[in-house]
Amino acid sequence: MLISLQQDSFAYFVHKINPANGLVLDKSHSDWPASIAAVGLALAAYPVGVERGFMTREEAVKRTLIVLKFFANAPHGPERDATGYKGFYYHFLDMNTGKRVWNCELSSVDTAFLIAGMLIARAYYKHETEEEGEIRKLADELYRRVDWQWMQKGEAAVSHGWTPEKGFLPYQWTGYDEALILYLLGLGSPTHPLSDESYAAWTSTYKWKKIYDIEFLYAGPLFIHQLSHAWIDFRGIRDSFMRERGSDYFENSRCATLVQQRYAARNPLEFKHYNEYCWGITSSDGPGPVARQVDGILRVFYDYIGRGAPYGPDDGTLAPWAVVASLPFAPDIVLPTIENYERMNLREAQKYGYKATFNPTFPVEPYHEFGWVSPYHFGLNQGPIVMMIENYRSGLLWSLMRQCPYLVTGLRRAGFRGGWLEG
């Protein structure tokens, strides 16, 4: 079951790309742009494909080199139609030209996911060939080019991003969210590292909560507890915050996963099909925005939004991929849930696995037992499926990133101790 799901999800990164530049569609929609985060996930997925026989090493090397050469040579500067600036890249890029679209921002966190994929490539392609040597060289150069200090704009915390029109965005990465990997890569930089106080600023607004008798560092959408973990093995390593609480970020993600299941089992808003084997609430696509009367209750349904549990927003939309991405943390509850989703026929074989989301409460015509189903796949969903199944099975991505000296430096500068860091 896991092999089949992993292979189907991996196929997204085979087919939903531009072979000329390696850019990956943000989602399976015609005329849609690329997402730099999806490119980073593709770079991490290719070694999995090689190890599992989904792709030859030669093909993976070719695809990886195309991506790295593109980013190394793409227009880089303050111009409005560039690809990147100061080592960062625009969130969304035109699939053909590779230039900025939608007046989007230079994204600090999405650049971190892109760079993490490059560092996976740097660690994996170790053969003494000209092509693999060039992968290592380019990945290193592109990481070193990121000016993490600039993105702090003279303050402690890191900005969400920058645009040529308005400068830095008014938001900073603080509190527990998907930017954990950003801080660790930024702290490890040998060229433009984040300042010493940056990590303390990041953790200063953490929210430790007790929900359903489970104490943990809270974040609502499940993906927050997963994305940094797809790359980094947090088992047994602790920063000062986690040392004080006798936990670590891996155990914390298990707690968040258990809370999700318990919320669905309680089902306080009485959505259809919520139960201990049907859950997964995260930032995701949805059937809205619209309000509908459903069985005498006025329901508000959202489009793409940061859904979370137990405090919401929650409109009955579930994301099967988010369940799979928790597999390493809680296989005891994730595997039965995947089996249930298989019985529900939520996966299309050879069509990239699970669609992004479904909502059994949302009424559709003609009637469908499981209601509304997203018509799309998203690269940001497909990657964690491939990576976390592999981390559960072999620990491949975790092992590769443990070999990255920059990550080790970043972890130590952030105050992490113990576990594999002491080896």
Side-chain angles (χ1 to χ4, degrees):
M1 178 182 68
L2 293 179
I3 293 170
S4 174
L5 178 57
Q6 187 180 41
Q7 186 169 13
D8 287 349
S9 301
F10 177 82
Y12 186 91
F13 300 112
V14 175
H15 300 296
K16 295 300 180 180
I17 73 162
N18 180 348
N21 55 26
L23 294 180
V24 180
L25 275 173
D26 172 58
K27 72 177 183 180
S28 57
H29 184 286
S30 60
D31 300 322
W32 208 253
S35 153
I36 59 169
V39 177
L41 292 163
L43 290 172
Y46 293 149
V48 175
V50 174
E51 295 300 312
R52 292 296 168 189
F54 307 155
M55 173 181 284
T56 66
R57 190 179 187 96
E58 292 74 20
E59 179 67 15
V61 166
K62 176 184 175 183
R63 287 168 175 260
T64 301
L65 257 183
I66 287 172
V67 170
L68 295 179
K69 287 180 178 178
F70 166 76
F71 281 101
N73 299 318
H76 207 80
E79 297 79 15
R80 294 185 177 190
D81 64 345
T83 297
Y85 181 47
K86 296 285 188 179
F88 293 91
Y89 300 95
Y90 287 102
H91 195 159
F92 299 107
L93 303 175
D94 184 276
M95 281 290 290
N96 295 310
T97 67
K99 294 184 178 181
R100 176 196 189 202
V101 297
W102 295 343
N103 290 325
C104 66
E105 83 287 7
L106 280 180
S107 175
S108 54
V109 73
D110 291 282
T111 295
F113 297 139
L114 173 62
I115 294 297
M118 294 178 180
L119 293 176
I120 287 284
R122 179 182 180 272
Y124 181 72
Y125 300 104
K126 287 295 184 66
H127 291 182
E128 293 304 321
T129 65
E130 180 179 350
E131 292 80 5
E132 297 200 17
E134 190 171 8
I135 286 174
R136 297 191 296 272
K137 174 177 177 291
L138 288 172
D140 198 70
E141 290 175 356
L142 288 163
Y143 170 67
R144 289 169 176 263
R145 187 161 76 174
V146 184
D147 192 342
W148 306 96
Q149 291 175 0
W150 175 76
M151 195 58 82
Q152 289 182 272
K153 62 174 184 176
E155 302 177 20
V158 178
S159 173
H160 278 208
W162 177 91
T163 69
E165 294 82 9
K166 297 184 178 180
F168 290 103
L169 303 185
Y171 315 107
Q172 295 175 304
W173 292 111
T174 56
Y176 190 53
D177 50 42
E178 65 270 31
L180 178 54
I181 191 171
L182 181 159
Y183 278 92
L184 297 176
L185 293 181
L187 286 166
S189 171
T191 50
H192 310 286
L194 292 175
S195 59
D196 288 336
E197 69 269 24
S198 64
Y199 193 75
W202 148 256
T203 61
S204 64
T205 54
Y206 274 8
K207 296 179 180 178
W208 187 261
K209 292 183 178 292
K210 185 175 183 178
I211 303 172
Y212 308 141
D213 294 324
I214 297 174
E215 293 190 33
F216 72 117
L217 174 57
Y218 174 77
L222 192 52
F223 88 98
I224 288 174
H225 297 279
Q226 299 164 337
L227 276 189
S228 293
H229 295 257
W231 319 88
I232 304 171
D233 182 3
F234 286 102
R235 292 174 298 180
I237 63 173
R238 301 174 175 179
D239 61 6
S240 61
F241 182 91
M242 285 298 178
R243 280 195 296 274
E244 290 174 4
R245 288 156 182 82
S247 186
D248 60 45
Y249 288 97
F250 182 92
E251 176 59 28
N252 195 78
S253 290
R254 174 173 171 80
C255 290
T257 305
L258 293 173
V259 165
Q260 284 257 339
Q261 186 202 40
R262 294 184 187 184
Y263 170 79
R266 285 166 171 78
N267 194 13
L269 300 179
E270 299 182 348
F271 289 117
K272 292 181 180 178
H273 283 286
Y274 276 35
N275 59 59
E276 62 181 317
Y277 302 120
C278 194
W279 48 275
I281 301 171
T282 192
S283 295
S284 61
D285 195 18
V290 67
R292 294 274 180 86
Q293 283 281 344
V294 182
D295 297 329
I297 300 173
L298 181 63
R299 302 280 195 185
V300 177
F301 298 96
Y302 305 101
D303 191 359
Y304 200 102
I305 195 172
R307 295 171 174 82
Y311 304 124
D314 179 20
D315 63 353
T317 301
L318 298 175
W321 73 268
V323 173
V324 183
S326 280
L327 180 58
F329 312 126
D332 51 323
I333 66 171
V334 169
L335 286 170
T337 304
I338 297 175
E339 290 171 347
N340 183 49
Y341 283 155
E342 294 291 303
R343 288 191 293 269
M344 293 166 67
N345 294 319
L346 293 175
R347 179 157 65 94
E348 297 175 280
Q350 308 309 315
K351 291 292 185 181
Y352 318 127
Y354 294 128
K355 290 290 182 67
T357 46
F358 71 106
N359 189 316
T361 303
F362 189 84
V364 293
E365 294 292 342
Y367 172 80
H368 187 281
E369 181 182 0
F370 304 119
W372 176 87
V373 178
S374 171
Y376 304 117
H377 296 88
F378 289 74
L380 197 60
N381 304 350
Q382 303 297 100
I385 291 176
V386 174
M387 296 173 71
M388 291 304 242
I389 287 177
E390 194 57 38
N391 282 330
Y392 171 71
R393 297 177 68 197
S394 73
L396 174 64
L397 289 315
W398 290 339
S399 175
L400 291 171
M401 285 299 275
R402 284 199 298 267
Q403 301 169 35
C404 178
Y406 306 129
L407 175 63
V408 171
T409 297
L411 284 164
R412 288 178 173 159
R413 283 196 66 203
F416 281 83
R417 304 287 184 269
W420 60 264
L421 273 175
E422 308 303 322

